[in-house]
Amino acid sequence: MKMNELNLVYFSPTGTTRKVVMEAARNIDLKSVSFDLTVHKEKKPSLKFKSNDFVLFGIPVYGGRVPKTFLEYFETLKGDNTPAALIATYGCREYEDTLLELKNEVESRGFKVIGAGAFPVQHSIIRQIGMSRPNKNDLKIIADFGIQLNRKLRTAENFDNVNIQIPGNTPYKKYGTIPLVPKADVSLCTECKACAKACPTGAISIENPKKTDKKKCISCMKCVYSCRQKARYVSKMKLTAAQKKLTKICKNDKQAEIFI
Ligand SMILES: Cc1cc2nc3c(=O)[nH]c(=O)nc-3n(C[C@H](O)[C@H](O)[C@H](O)COP(=O)(O)O)c2cc1C
């Protein structure tokens, strides 16, 4: 098929999903345009794609589901039988219904999913889990996913009969709540507002960045990663409890899965 542009539409609070998306994209021979939906926007951008565009969607798994914040951008998302591929990164526990949910959501908005991949990586909350992933071998698999997508785009005349089978269940897993809302250490915070500007949900007050709206916070950890003063933190007690629970159920040797 003669394709126009590669569009990278992703949500990546701590940067791992972005890294995986870029590695796959590097192997697709099309000019690329990025839509980083990690940056909070009151007014959602219009995301409209043509039938000869290719869209690569990338998200982290949150509680076995697509992050709600990402789906909020779907109100203005529209394809025209546009081919798309999906990337989900996860912290070595499980991805459960995430890819299936993402496939159903994008296909209901005019896209045709021609490939998908679930990639185990470092856990953004408990960083000892999946440490140093994606590693060399993971990056090779991710690059190969890009190569396979590129080949599919070049050789197929159309994708009318494509129906990628993706694991997952409906109804989807219930959204759980994560009680890990980062706070500001007032003795370290210089009120530089980097955290407030970085927050993908607008949960941190620009006027007073020491204040966080607990209801808006999605525990993505972007504020913790972006604070140069190391003033943003999660309660040690809660973090230790999460670590205990997660180290039992996460497996550092999880393998990537590709559906194409
Ligand atoms: C709120 C939250 C929920 C998460 N839920 C899961 C999960 O259900 N399964 C899993 O294996 N990893 C889970 N993770 C880990 C992330 O999916 C993983 O670290 C991801 O690669 C982070 O992507 P990013 O660096 O692009 O933000 C979760 C992380 C966060 C912050």
Side-chain angles (χ1 to χ4, degrees), residues 11-20 38 58-65 88-96 98 119-126 129 173 178 218-222 225 246 250 254:
F11 180 70
S12 184
T14 65
T16 318
T17 307
R18 183 180 185 279
K19 185 174 178 178
V20 173
T38 326
I59 49 157
V61 171
Y62 281 3
R65 299 281 303 272
T89 68
Y90 67 104
C92 297
R93 189 185 66 77
E94 293 292 346
Y95 60 92
E96 286 142 335
T98 311
F119 301 100
V121 296
Q122 182 173 31
H123 202 293
S124 51
I125 300 177
I126 308 298
I129 297 171
K173 209 183 155 205
I178 295 203
I218 54 166
S219 305
C220 72
M221 303 293 139
K222 193 174 179 201
Y225 280 61
L246 285 174
C250 295
K254 282 246 177 204

Side-chain angles (χ1 to χ4, degrees), residues 1 16 30 94 108 122 146 150 157 168 182 201 229 243 250:
M1 232 172 127
T16 318
L30 289 171
E94 293 292 346
S108 72
Q122 182 173 31
N150 193 48
E157 274 177 27
T201 63
Q229 323 302 327
Q243 180 168 5
C250 295

Side-chain angles (χ1 to χ4, degrees), residues 92-148:
C92 297
R93 189 185 66 77
E94 293 292 346
Y95 60 92
E96 286 142 335
D97 305 328
T98 311
L99 278 181
L100 180 66
E101 181 182 14
L102 186 58
K103 177 177 186 269
N104 292 341
E105 289 292 336
V106 304
E107 291 200 332
S108 72
R109 283 166 175 84
F111 295 84
K112 183 79 177 186
V113 173
I114 66 158
F119 301 100
V121 296
Q122 182 173 31
H123 202 293
S124 51
I125 300 177
I126 308 298
R127 295 165 83 173
Q128 292 89 335
I129 297 171
M131 222 146 98
S132 74
R133 295 191 74 181
N135 56 27
K136 244 182 162 176
N137 190 43
D138 294 322
L139 290 172
K140 238 173 96 184
I141 297 170
I142 297 159
D144 190 56
F145 178 52
I147 292 167
Q148 289 190 57

Side-chain angles (χ1 to χ4, degrees), residues 43-92:
K43 190 174 176 318
K44 306 289 180 234
S46 162
L47 299 167
K48 293 202 167 53
F49 300 101
K50 300 190 206 100
S51 57
N52 61 347
D53 283 326
F54 179 49
V55 183
L56 186 53
F57 291 94
I59 49 157
V61 171
Y62 281 3
R65 299 281 303 272
V66 178
K68 268 190 190 149
T69 313
F70 188 72
L71 290 179
E72 282 165 14
Y73 286 89
F74 276 35
E75 283 162 29
T76 52
L77 175 74
K78 208 169 167 5
D80 175 18
N81 209 18
T82 307
L86 317 175
I87 283 178
T89 68
Y90 67 104
C92 297

